[in-house]
Amino acid sequence: MTTPEVALLGIRHHGPGSARAVAAALAQWRPDAVLIEGPPEADGIVHLAGEKDMVPPVALLAHAVDDPAKAAFWPYAEFSPEWVAIRHAVEHDLPVRFIDLPAGYGFAPAPEDGAEGAADGGTAAGEEADGAEAVEPVADPLALLAEAAGHDDAERWWEDVVEHRAPGTDALAPFAAVAEAMGALRAEGLGESRRDLLREAHMRQQIRAARRAGHQRIAVVCGAFHVPALERMPTVAHDRALLAGLPKKVRTDITWVPWTHRRLSQATGYGAGVQSPGWYHHLFTTDGDPVPRWLTRAADLLRAEDHPVSSAHVIEAVRLAETLAVLRGRPLAGLTETLDAVRAVLCEGSEVALELVRDRLVVGDALGEVPDAAPAVPLQRDLTRWQRSLRLKPDAAPKDVDLDLRKETDAARSRLLHRLRLLGVDWGVPARSSVNSTGTFRESWRLCWQPEFAVRIAEAAQWGTTVEEAAVNKAVGTARAAGELAELTGLVETCLLAGLSGALPAVMRVLADCAALDTDVAHLAGALPALVRALRYGDVRGTDHGALAGAASGLAERICVGLPPACVGLDAQGAEAMRARLDEVHGAIGLLAADPAATTSDTTPDPEGPDGPDGQTDLAHLADLAGLADLAGLADRWAAALRSLARREPAGGPATGAPGLLRGRAVRLLLDDGRLDSEEAGRRLRLVLSVANAPADAAGWVEGFLTGGGALLLHDPRLLALLDEWLTGVSGEVFTDVLPLLRRTFAGLEAGVRTTIGGRVAAGPLGEPPAVRATAGELDRARADAAVPVVALLLGIRPRIPRQAAGRDT
C-alpha cells in the first residue's frame, strides 16, 4: 500500500497572500481530504459553508451548554486561508475536518492557564466571547524573522514576502520556505507554550486518524508556527501521554454566526486579527494592481462626504504611492504608502479626512450572513422572526432611527428594542432625535449590531424561548434580586416601555414591599422620577397606571414629610447629590400634580378620552383610578416642604441646619413656581448675605439660587445690587475661600447673561436703572451730514441736506 502523503500548508490567519497560496496549492496538489486548524465540534456544520446564503465574514461560535457565557469565536473572512480551504473542500465534495483541541477543553478549569497559541505563534486561534485579549507567547515569531531579515517592522516585512507575492509555478514552494524559517525558530524553543504542545499533539492524532481512514493525499491547513511540530511525528504513546493531563471536556454547542470586518481588527481585541481587514479584502478580491482601484474607492468616499476630489487627484495619488514604494525598497505599494498618498493628495494633509478613509475602507463595516439552516437557540430564531416582520435588518454600521409610537409598526419596534436592552442585547441605544419635536410619542434610537450579541442571546435563552417571555422572566428575576428602590422604579419604567404587562404585577409587588421598608429619603427621591415618567408618558403604549399612580403618590407624600430633616447636616458632596435629587423630585411632582390641559405638548387632548394624541395621560383620570382626589394638594404639601427646608438655617453651626446650597435652591424653586414673590426672595437673599452668616454658606446659597439660570438678576436689579454689595465687602482671605463656589456658579449661567451682568456692574452703581452717559465733546456736524445720503438711500427717502452743508459743497 502506498504511504499517504501529507502537505502541510502553514499560513497566517486572515492573510490574503496566504489565502491565494492555499487556493493555488490545493488546485495543484488535489488532495482527497482537507484538515484545518479549528474546533472539531464544527465538523457537523462545516458543510453549511457551501450554502449560497453563507456570506463571510462569519465565525464559528462555541459555548458551554450549561454556561453560555463561556464562549469562544473562530472568525473567517473571505480572505482567510482557512475559509478558502473550507470552500475548496465543500465545492469539490472532499472530506473536511477540524483538528485543533476541542473547544470543550478550553471551557473547563485547567491546571495551567494559557491561551491557545496562534497559527503564526503570536496569537490565539479562538477569541474569548468577552473580547479579552489572549495571553501571547513570550516572543513573536514574525518579529524575530523580520529582525533576522534586517526589518524593524514585522507587518511590513510579512506583506512584502507573502501578502504581495503572487503564487509561482510551484504552489507548494512558499510553504516549504515558511516551514524552514519556523523550524529554525522552534529549534531554539522560541514562542512555545504548554498550550501549543497540547494542541499540536491533538493535531498529530487527527492526521494519524485521517491516514487510518484510507486517505492518500491529505492537505493540512494550519498556522505556520505549528508546521515544524507536525512534520516530526513522535510516537503515539508520546502524544497520548501529553493529552492525558487534559481536564474533563465540557459539553459544548457550536454554530455559525455573522461577523464583521471591524471585529476582525486588532483594535477591537481579537489577537489573531489584522489592523486592516478592509484593505486585505480588497487585496484578495482585486485582480491586477489593487492600488488604483482602492484609491478610486477612497475618492468616491471623500466626494460623498463633500471633499473636493477629482480624477486628477487619484492619478497623482497613484503616482505618489508607487514612487514611495520604490524609494522605500518595497516590491509593491502597501497600505502605508497608499495612506501616505491619500493624506498628501486626496485629503490635502487633513488627518480628519484620512481618519474617515481608515475607518470606512481600511477597517470597514462589512457584516456577514449565515443561512437559516445554521443551528440556533429558539430565542435567536424568535428574534430573527421579529427582525424580518418589523423590517429591522441587523447592520454593523451605526444607523439612527426615529420611531413614531402612534404607529403600530414603530411601537412594536420600540418594544422589541427595549426588551432586548433588558436582556443585555444593546442592539439599539436611545439617541437624541434629529427631528425637533416636544411630543412624547417620538423615540430615537441608534442601531448597531455587534457579533457578541450572539453570545448574549445564548445567555438570555435561559429566561425563555421567545423575546417577550425571556424579557418578562428576566424582569421578574431582576426585581427579586434588586437591592435599591431606584433600581426597581427604573425597572418598572423599562417594563412599561417594553410592553411587559406580564412582569408588572410581580415587579410592583416587590416595589411596594421595598418602598414600605425603605426610610432613606435619598432613595425615595431617586425612585420617584422614573415612576412619574412612566405614569405621565407611558399611556401611549396602552398600559394600566392605577397601581403606578398609587405608588408614585405614596412616595411623594413620604418625601414631602422626610425631605427637610434629611437635608440637615449634609456635607458638600452630600448636598450636591441631594440638590440633583431635589430638582428631579420637583419636576416629578410638578408633572404628577399638573393640570393635563395645560401641559400637553403639540396638540390638545381628546375630550372624549383620557389620552391626547401625543400620548400624555389625563392625570385626573388616573387620579380616579388610584383614588387620588387631591393632586393639587400634593403640590401644596411639596411647597410647604420647600419652605421648611428654606428656613432650616445653621444657627448653631453647619450640623444644625441645611446647607446653603439646598436652602437657596428651595427658594429659587418656590420663586419659579410663583409661590414666593421677588420681594420675599430679595429679603431672604439680604439675610443670607448679611455679616452674621458664614461667607461659605452664603456662597452655597447663591449657587443654589442661581442654578438653572441667572436672568432674574437682570430683571430685578435689586438682587444684583445685593450680591454685588456682599461680594465687594468680603475680605480678601474669605474671598479666596469662596471664589471656587462663585466661579462655578457664574460659569453655569448663560453666556449672554454673564456678559450683561458684567456690563451692568461696569456701568456704575447698581440698584437703579443705568444712567445715560453724557456725550463727550460737541457733535461733529460735518461728519454726520456726510452720512445722511447713505442713510436716506437705505430708508428709501429723499435726503434733506442742511443749508450749511450745501454751502460748503458749493
Side-chain angles (χ1 to χ4, degrees):
M1 179 179 293
T2 305
T3 303
E5 298 181 66
V6 177
L8 299 175
L9 308 181
I11 51 92
R12 187 188 187 193
H13 293 307
H14 314 307
S18 293
R20 285 192 296 268
V22 166
L26 293 177
Q28 173 183 313
W29 204 62
R30 296 183 180 180
D32 59 1
V34 178
L35 307 182
I36 300 173
E37 177 186 338
E41 291 93 338
D43 287 349
I45 60 173
V46 68
H47 67 279
L48 295 176
E51 298 285 339
K52 63 178 181 179
D53 295 334
M54 180 76 84
V55 180
V58 293
L60 288 168
L61 163 62
H63 63 84
V65 173
D66 298 329
D67 186 4
K70 293 181 178 180
F73 296 99
W74 285 262
Y76 303 110
E78 188 172 356
F79 52 83
S80 299
E82 300 95 331
W83 180 256
V84 170
I86 291 172
R87 293 284 301 186
H88 177 90
V90 172
E91 290 173 0
H92 291 80
D93 198 23
L94 300 177
V96 56
R97 298 287 183 268
F98 290 102
I99 61 173
D100 207 340
L101 267 180
Y105 288 122
F107 301 144
E112 179 181 346
D113 292 335
E116 297 180 3
D120 56 12
T123 47
E127 180 186 7
E128 293 295 329
D130 60 3
E133 293 188 7
V135 179
E136 298 186 358
V138 177
D140 179 7
L142 286 187
L144 295 174
L145 291 175
E147 183 180 359
H151 292 259
D152 57 358
D153 190 328
E155 290 291 332
R156 181 180 298 182
W157 174 79
W158 181 263
E159 281 192 352
D160 288 346
V161 300
V162 177
E163 306 303 347
H164 292 168
R165 300 283 184 181
T169 55
D170 184 2
L172 297 177
F175 295 104
V178 171
E180 182 180 359
M182 289 296 174
L185 292 178
R186 294 296 294 265
E188 301 294 330
L190 298 176
E192 291 184 351
S193 68
R194 167 71 176 173
R195 183 71 171 173
D196 286 327
L197 297 179
L198 291 174
R199 295 174 62 208
E200 289 161 356
H202 190 272
M203 293 180 194
R204 290 191 293 265
Q205 293 283 62
Q206 297 304 306
I207 294 174
R208 295 185 183 103
R211 286 172 171 171
R212 290 195 300 270
H215 298 297
Q216 298 299 309
R217 297 174 68 83
I218 304 170
V220 179
V221 180
C222 64
F225 183 75
H226 303 302
V227 170
L230 301 185
E231 285 179 331
R232 303 185 303 270
M233 296 291 285
T235 64
V236 176
H238 173 273
D239 288 340
R240 286 178 178 174
L242 272 177
L243 298 174
L246 287 172
K248 182 179 179 181
K249 186 166 62 174
V250 174
R251 194 160 58 96
T252 305
D253 279 344
I254 196 166
T255 186
W256 290 102
V257 295
W259 205 249
T260 66
H261 276 174
R262 190 171 302 280
R263 197 67 180 88
L264 278 170
S265 67
Q266 288 180 340
T268 55
Y270 178 56
V274 291
Q275 296 178 354
S276 49
W279 167 257
Y280 273 9
H281 177 82
H282 179 78
L283 289 181
F284 183 72
T285 57
T286 302
D287 295 328
D289 189 354
V291 174
R293 290 184 175 86
W294 195 85
L295 287 172
T296 301
R297 292 176 58 200
D300 290 341
L301 172 63
L302 292 172
R303 279 195 291 265
E305 298 294 332
D306 295 330
H307 291 274
V309 179
S310 66
S311 300
H313 284 85
V314 177
I315 295 172
E316 186 59 32
V318 172
R319 290 174 178 170
L320 179 57
E322 293 173 347
T323 302
L324 289 174
V326 173
L327 290 175
R328 294 169 181 174
R330 306 194 65 182
L332 291 173
L335 181 60
T336 303
E337 289 72 31
T338 306
L339 287 181
D340 287 345
V342 170
R343 178 193 291 109
V345 181
L346 302 187
C347 300
E348 297 181 345
S350 171
E351 289 294 334
V352 175
L354 181 63
E355 188 59 34
L356 177 67
V357 174
R358 283 198 183 102
D359 184 70
R360 300 279 187 85
L361 296 184
V362 177
V363 178
D365 288 309
L367 176 65
E369 299 179 8
V370 299
D372 293 337
V377 295
L379 179 61
Q380 175 66 66
R381 296 198 181 280
D382 185 63
L383 174 58
T384 302
R385 181 178 63 83
W386 278 109
Q387 289 171 335
R388 290 174 178 172
S389 64
L390 298 177
R391 298 186 297 279
L392 280 177
K393 183 179 180 180
D395 197 338
K399 177 183 179 183
D400 292 331
V401 176
D402 289 318
L403 302 180
D404 186 342
L405 301 182
R406 297 170 297 183
K407 300 177 180 178
E408 181 56 34
T409 299
D410 282 358
R413 290 172 174 171
S414 172
R415 289 192 294 269
L416 176 64
L417 294 174
H418 281 293
R419 290 170 181 176
L420 290 175
R421 280 176 60 81
L422 183 59
L423 294 172
V425 182
D426 293 330
W427 175 24
V429 294
R432 180 182 292 274
S433 175
S434 58
V435 180
N436 293 325
S437 173
T438 57
T440 57
F441 56 81
R442 187 178 300 280
E443 277 187 353
S444 295
W445 295 82
R446 169 157 290 191
L447 305 183
C448 183
W449 187 264
Q450 301 292 337
E452 295 87 349
F453 293 159
V455 177
R456 298 180 189 174
I457 292 171
E459 291 182 73
Q462 62 180 306
W463 298 105
T465 57
T466 67
V467 176
E468 181 177 4
E469 179 188 5
V472 167
N473 293 332
K474 176 68 178 295
V476 174
T478 302
R480 291 171 178 168
E484 294 186 1
L485 189 60
E487 184 180 355
L488 284 170
T489 55
L491 183 60
V492 169
E493 184 180 20
T494 300
C495 288
L496 288 173
L497 295 173
L500 302 178
S501 56
L504 270 178
V507 176
M508 288 300 300
R509 283 195 297 271
V510 178
L511 172 63
D513 295 341
C514 186
L517 297 175
D518 200 330
T519 58
D520 191 328
V521 174
H523 291 171
L524 300 178
L528 180 64
L531 270 184
V532 174
R533 283 195 303 268
L535 177 65
R536 180 67 173 168
Y537 298 126
D539 192 70
V540 74
R541 293 170 174 81
T543 53
D544 180 13
H545 297 77
L548 285 179
S553 177
L555 287 180
E557 295 287 356
R558 294 174 62 188
I559 293 172
C560 290
V561 173
L563 176 68
C567 294
V568 173
L570 293 176
D571 59 11
Q573 185 176 0
E576 183 63 32
M578 185 61 78
R579 183 196 62 78
R581 293 191 179 96
L582 188 66
D583 288 342
E584 293 177 353
V585 171
H586 183 75
I589 292 181
L591 286 175
L592 192 61
D595 178 10
T599 56
T600 52
S601 59
D602 289 354
T603 53
T604 304
D606 183 357
E608 298 182 359
D611 307 318
D614 64 351
Q616 293 185 356
T617 304
D618 186 335
L619 291 176
H621 175 65
L622 293 178
D624 293 339
L625 287 175
L628 305 175
D630 187 17
L631 286 176
L634 176 60
D636 293 337
R637 290 187 288 279
W638 173 245
L642 292 177
R643 290 193 183 94
S644 176
L645 173 59
R647 291 193 298 267
R648 290 182 178 262
E649 299 179 356
T656 62
L661 177 68
L662 299 179
R663 301 196 327 270
R665 190 63 191 146
V667 171
R668 177 61 184 273
L669 294 177
L670 290 170
L671 179 63
D672 290 346
D673 278 358
R675 294 179 178 271
L676 198 70
D677 57 28
S678 59
E679 293 283 347
E680 178 62 17
R683 186 186 72 83
R684 290 176 181 268
L685 177 61
R686 188 178 301 108
L687 291 175
V688 168
L689 299 181
S690 65
V691 295
N693 279 356
D697 184 72
W701 198 99
V702 171
E703 180 183 3
F705 186 69
L706 295 182
T707 298
L712 57 89
L713 294 178
L714 304 179
H715 300 318
D716 193 340
R718 292 170 299 176
L719 297 178
L720 182 57
L722 287 172
L723 185 59
D724 181 62
E725 181 182 357
W726 170 76
L727 191 57
T728 55
V730 172
S731 66
E733 181 180 351
V734 174
F735 178 78
T736 303
D737 294 335
V738 301
L739 180 59
L741 285 175
L742 295 173
R743 178 172 293 175
R744 183 174 62 187
T745 299
F746 283 91
L749 303 182
E750 304 88 335
V753 171
R754 293 199 305 270
T755 302
T756 307
I757 289 177
R760 292 275 181 88
V761 173
L766 297 174
E768 56 186 18
V772 179
R773 296 185 179 181
T775 304
E778 296 182 358
L779 176 66
D780 188 342
R781 291 187 175 277
R783 296 178 64 187
D785 292 343
V788 170
V790 177
V791 174
L793 181 61
L794 293 174
L795 297 177
I797 61 177
R798 183 177 181 180
R800 297 178 60 187
I801 304 177
R803 184 177 302 175
Q804 296 86 341
R808 285 194 297 272
D809 292 339
T810 58

